[in-house]
Amino acid sequence: RSRFNIGAGEIMCVEGKTVEEVKNQIYQLCNVHTFTPGYHHLDITIGDAFPEWIEMRYGGRRPTTYRGKKRTGNAYIVRLLGHIKVQELTQADVQKCMDDLSERLAASTIHAICSLLRCFLQEYVDRREIPYNPCDHVILPVVVTQEVIPLSSEEVVRLLEGLEESGFRDVFAFTLLT
C-alpha cells in the first residue's frame, strides 16, 4: 500500500501485491512513463524504438556503458530485428535471432544481447502494450566455464628454460611467482 500526493493537494492510495504493480498504477494515475518511444503507437518498429530506449535508459550513465549498449544494440538487435514491429515480435523471432548469433558469438555475449532485448521489451509489457515478453523462455546457449589448472613445478621450470633466449623470461617468472 502506498500513499502519495499527485500535485493539487489530492492524496491517492494505491495498493498492489508487488512493487511492480504499485509502480505501474502510479505511472498510470500520474500519466508518467519510464519510456516514451512507441507509447500508444505500436506501429513503431524495433529499429525505431530501440535506439531511443537506449538513449533514455543509458544516456545519463557512464559514457563507456552507454556506448557499449548502443553498439551492441545497433550491431545485433537493430540489425537483425529492427524491421519487425514491436507488437508483432514473437518468441520464435527472438529464438531464431539467438540461434543465428550462437553460430558466431560466445554464449556469454548472446546472454548479454538477450538480456538487453528483454529489458527493452519489458517496458512494453509493464505498460500492458504487449501481452508477454517474447524473450521469456528463449533457449540460450550454455555458458561453459573452464576450470583453470595451474602449472606443475616441472612445467614452470620447462617454461622458464624455454624462454631463456627470448628476453621475456624475467617477466614470465615475475608473473608466475606473484
Side-chain angles (χ1 to χ4, degrees):
R1 183 175 190 127
S2 177
R3 295 174 55 109
F4 65 99
N5 185 345
I6 60 172
E10 184 179 348
I11 296 179
M12 300 290 297
C13 287
V14 178
E15 293 184 23
K17 292 180 182 177
T18 65
V19 172
E20 197 66 32
E21 286 179 17
V22 172
K23 180 182 85 171
N24 288 335
Q25 288 179 27
I26 292 170
Y27 286 161
Q28 288 173 357
L29 286 172
C30 297
N31 198 22
V32 173
H33 304 286
T34 57
F35 160 58
T36 55
Y39 187 67
H40 292 302
H41 179 66
L42 288 177
D43 287 337
I44 194 167
T45 63
I46 292 171
D48 294 333
F50 190 81
E52 292 180 38
W53 177 78
I54 287 287
E55 178 67 34
M56 291 189 69
R57 178 83 184 246
Y58 297 101
R61 299 207 181 159
R62 290 186 315 180
T64 54
T65 302
Y66 170 69
R67 282 193 306 268
K69 300 289 184 183
K70 185 177 178 181
R71 188 179 319 115
T72 299
N74 288 336
Y76 301 110
I77 295 170
V78 172
R79 187 171 53 83
L80 297 174
L81 300 171
H83 63 283
I84 301 173
K85 292 181 181 178
V86 172
Q87 81 276 13
E88 294 175 359
L89 183 68
T90 65
Q91 183 180 351
D93 294 328
V94 176
Q95 185 68 59
K96 183 180 180 324
C97 176
M98 297 304 138
D99 290 345
D100 291 346
L101 291 175
S102 67
E103 296 172 5
R104 299 180 278 153
L105 300 173
S108 58
T109 305
I110 295 169
H111 280 259
I113 293 167
C114 191
S115 176
L116 191 61
L117 182 60
R118 180 178 283 116
C119 289
F120 165 68
L121 293 170
Q122 192 61 42
E123 295 276 348
Y124 286 98
V125 174
D126 289 346
R127 291 192 318 248
R128 294 185 176 91
E129 293 182 7
I130 58 176
Y132 68 95
N133 193 328
C135 291
D136 292 344
H137 310 295
V138 169
I139 299 168
L140 298 174
V142 177
V143 177
V144 178
T145 56
Q146 295 182 346
E147 183 181 350
V148 176
I149 303 170
L151 297 173
S152 67
S153 299
E154 296 82 27
E155 291 172 324
V156 170
V157 170
R158 277 187 282 154
L159 176 64
L160 293 176
E161 287 173 353
L163 293 171
E164 283 290 337
E165 297 177 15
S166 70
F168 293 105
R169 182 191 178 283
D170 294 338
V171 173
F172 274 90
F174 178 76
T175 303
L176 289 169
L177 299 173
T178 59

